[in-house]
Amino acid sequence: MKVLVTGATGFVGSHLCDVLHSQGHEIYALVRNSQKAQKLNLPGEYILGDLKQDSIKSWCKQIPADLDCVIHTAGIVSAKHSMTFALINQVATEELITQLGERYSKLHFMLISSQAAAGPSLSSSDLINE
C-alpha cells in the first residue's frame, strides 16, 4: 500500500513510518524539515511541506495519484493562542481533506491525535467551583 504520513517527524508519526515500512508499505512522509527526517533515519520518500493552507495545495500535488491511504498525525499540542490550535488542528485538517477529496475519488483517511491537541481545558475542580 502507498501511505502518506503527515507529522512524520513527530513521536507518533516517526514510529508509525517505521512500522509501516517494516510491513512492506511504500511511505510518503510529510516533513517540515528534511534534515530532521534524515537524522531520525525516517524511511520513505520525503514530501516537504506543512499545514498552512497554501502549502497544502502545493505539496498535495507531489503525492502519487495512486495513493491508498493518508494517516494524519500532524498537529500541535501547545500554542500561545487558542486560535493557533484551531488553525492547525481543525482548519488545516479540513483543508487537507478538501484537497485530497478533489484529487482522489477513493482514499482511506485516518486521523490520529492527542487529547492535548484540543488545547487547554478546565480541570474537574474548576468545573465544580463555577
Side-chain angles (χ1 to χ4, degrees), residues 33-118:
N33 183 323
S34 56
Q35 289 88 5
K36 183 176 180 181
Q38 291 168 348
K39 199 174 202 179
L40 290 169
N41 199 26
L42 200 65
E45 183 178 322
Y46 303 158
I47 306 291
L48 193 58
D50 57 37
L51 293 181
K52 294 178 184 154
Q53 192 168 11
D54 291 339
S55 179
I56 293 171
K57 291 177 183 180
S58 175
W59 63 257
C60 267
K61 296 173 185 171
Q62 298 175 41
I63 52 181
D66 58 346
L67 190 71
D68 297 299
C69 181
V70 174
I71 305 178
H72 183 48
T73 71
I76 58 171
V77 295
S78 64
K80 291 183 181 182
H81 304 287
S82 60
M83 185 54 104
T84 305
F85 278 102
L87 287 173
I88 298 299
N89 296 331
Q90 179 188 347
V91 176
T93 299
E94 290 172 356
E95 179 63 24
L96 176 59
I97 291 168
T98 298
Q99 292 300 317
L100 293 169
E102 290 175 4
R103 185 152 186 228
Y104 300 93
S105 61
K106 188 176 177 181
L107 182 72
H108 296 281
F109 184 90
M110 297 172 64
L111 171 66
I112 298 176
S113 185
S114 143
Q115 183 175 353

